[in-house]
Amino acid sequence: MKQDGSVFTLENEELLVTIDRRGAELTGIYDKKAGREILWKADPSVWGRHAPILFPFVGKSFEGKYLCDGTEYEIMPHGFARDMEFEPVLCDMDECWYRLKDTPKTYAVYPFHFELEVGHRLTRRVIEVIWRVVNPDSGELLFMIGGHPAFQTPQGKTIYDYTLSFNKEGSGAEESAQQLHYLAPNENGYQEERRSGTLQLKDGQVPITKGFFDAALTYMFDDGQVSSVGLLVDGKPYVTVSCGGFPYLGVWTMEATHPFVCLEPWYGICAPDGYAGELKDRPGIQKLNAWGTWEKSYSIRIE
């Protein structure tokens, strides 16, 4: 483990991984064997992030507002954690942890006390991302959380050299190898039922061709259909995100301008268009009992 005060480095013979205190964000995955960076470089002229954590919301609230116990609050898309400084808790050669606690500023826009711990663990060619949410209060904690890692195209390639490979497990795996149901947002970023559809697959795969994201600005696969999703380059495995048990998986890029694809495991989803109900009733909301702890993880394998 190396550190310069704000960026921590995990390293083994295979990979060099960097994590920033700001947002506890994974900022680099350098493949030492292949001699290339896997994560998007966060060019601010295109998209100035690498793999932000989405907390305490995933996506947009309708018109940037939500209702909690009859009081209206304003909140930015994806919440505030990605832009906050986390406290280092544990950093070793192959693992590091950060913690974020509520502040008066967060409480003004999100009326809950919380502790969010984020861990990154490096094992050979796999990075495990762990989220631990702690409710330090006597009331129920409502939240969402999600990952947003962006995988840049290898040198000389474009997103049209990518093929998405879905590997479902458990009941329904055979059926979902041929098709996946998806939700999709409208141009304002709100989930709209008429934009839902079915993505046709062949043996669990579909190439990204021109116009692929015309059908859905973001493919939001629901109902826990996806246990893992990989990117193939020219038919060969490049990176795989494993997210078994996650209720949602997002796939996003801006096709005309962005030389990367985001594979996003979520516990939560953007608000339906026009949604004005209570936060506790919003689709995708997670509920944590008083004094409880919630922990989930996903992993990134560099193939």
Side-chain angles (χ1 to χ4, degrees):
M1 181 273 293
K2 303 175 183 177
Q3 69 179 84
D4 66 3
S6 61
V7 177
F8 291 81
T9 301
L10 307 179
E11 185 174 6
N12 60 19
E13 67 277 7
E14 303 275 353
L15 302 175
L16 189 150
V17 176
T18 53
I19 306 102
D20 200 314
R21 282 186 60 180
R22 181 177 174 84
E25 183 176 1
L26 187 63
T27 56
I29 304 174
Y30 183 75
D31 185 345
K32 296 164 73 172
K33 294 293 180 71
R36 63 189 179 192
E37 175 60 47
I38 304 299
L39 276 187
W40 169 241
K41 59 187 178 181
D43 180 349
S45 67
V46 180
W47 188 62
R49 300 184 188 270
H50 306 271
I53 292 171
L54 317 180
F55 179 89
F57 286 84
V58 172
K60 289 185 174 182
S61 297
F62 183 64
E63 296 184 338
K65 302 173 183 178
Y66 70 96
L67 199 64
C68 185
D69 292 334
T71 300
E72 186 177 81
Y73 296 87
E74 295 187 6
I75 191 74
M76 66 185 69
H78 296 321
F80 46 70
R82 59 184 179 167
D83 294 319
M84 296 188 70
E85 290 287 323
F86 282 61
E87 171 194 4
V89 176
L90 167 70
C91 289
D92 206 340
M93 286 296 295
D94 57 3
E95 185 172 351
C96 65
W97 283 85
Y98 302 86
R99 180 187 294 125
L100 179 69
K101 297 182 179 181
D102 63 277
T103 67
K105 186 175 180 180
T106 67
Y107 197 84
V109 297
Y110 175 64
F112 297 94
H113 298 294
F114 69 87
E115 294 181 11
L116 170 62
E117 295 183 352
V118 178
H120 294 84
R121 183 179 295 136
L122 176 62
T123 305
R124 297 180 64 87
R125 297 182 67 81
V126 176
I127 304 100
E128 184 181 10
V129 183
I130 311 120
W131 303 321
R132 184 180 298 146
V133 180
V134 178
N135 182 357
D137 204 356
S138 59
E140 189 175 57
L141 174 60
L142 306 178
F143 70 96
M144 300 182 189
I145 191 167
H148 204 312
F151 301 104
Q152 66 182 8
T153 56
Q155 187 174 8
K157 301 296 182 180
T158 73
I159 64 169
Y160 303 122
D161 295 301
Y162 276 154
T163 293
L164 290 165
S165 178
F166 298 92
N167 181 22
K168 279 67 56 191
E169 301 172 356
S171 60
E174 183 175 343
E175 178 183 349
S176 58
Q178 305 305 320
Q179 61 182 23
L180 289 169
H181 177 266
Y182 64 83
L183 307 174
N186 59 25
E187 62 277 2
N188 295 317
Y190 311 128
Q191 190 263 320
E192 192 171 358
E193 187 59 36
R194 69 183 180 89
R195 298 177 185 261
S196 301
T198 301
L199 181 64
Q200 299 298 324
L201 309 175
K202 183 177 181 180
D203 297 326
Q205 298 182 2
V206 60
I208 297 179
T209 55
K210 290 187 177 181
F212 182 77
F213 288 93
D214 291 348
L217 298 176
T218 302
Y219 287 88
M220 305 188 299
F221 301 104
D222 58 348
D223 293 334
Q225 299 172 89
V226 178
S227 61
S228 70
V229 57
L231 290 171
L232 312 181
V233 177
D234 295 334
K236 298 179 181 179
Y238 177 56
V239 62
T240 300
V241 172
S242 295
C243 52
F246 277 64
Y248 302 100
L249 185 283
V251 177
W252 173 79
T253 191
M254 297 290 286
E255 191 174 325
T257 57
H258 291 17
F260 60 81
V261 170
C262 294
L263 306 178
E264 309 177 36
W266 299 334
Y267 273 86
I269 195 170
C270 60
D273 195 10
Y275 184 77
E278 281 280 341
L279 180 62
K280 64 181 177 64
D281 299 320
R282 177 168 153 177
I285 201 71
Q286 305 300 305
K287 299 177 180 179
L288 182 57
N289 291 334
W291 322 116
T293 298
W294 180 99
E295 182 173 316
K296 302 294 178 182
S297 67
Y298 73 94
S299 66
I300 300 168
R301 175 183 293 276
I302 308 307
E303 304 290 2

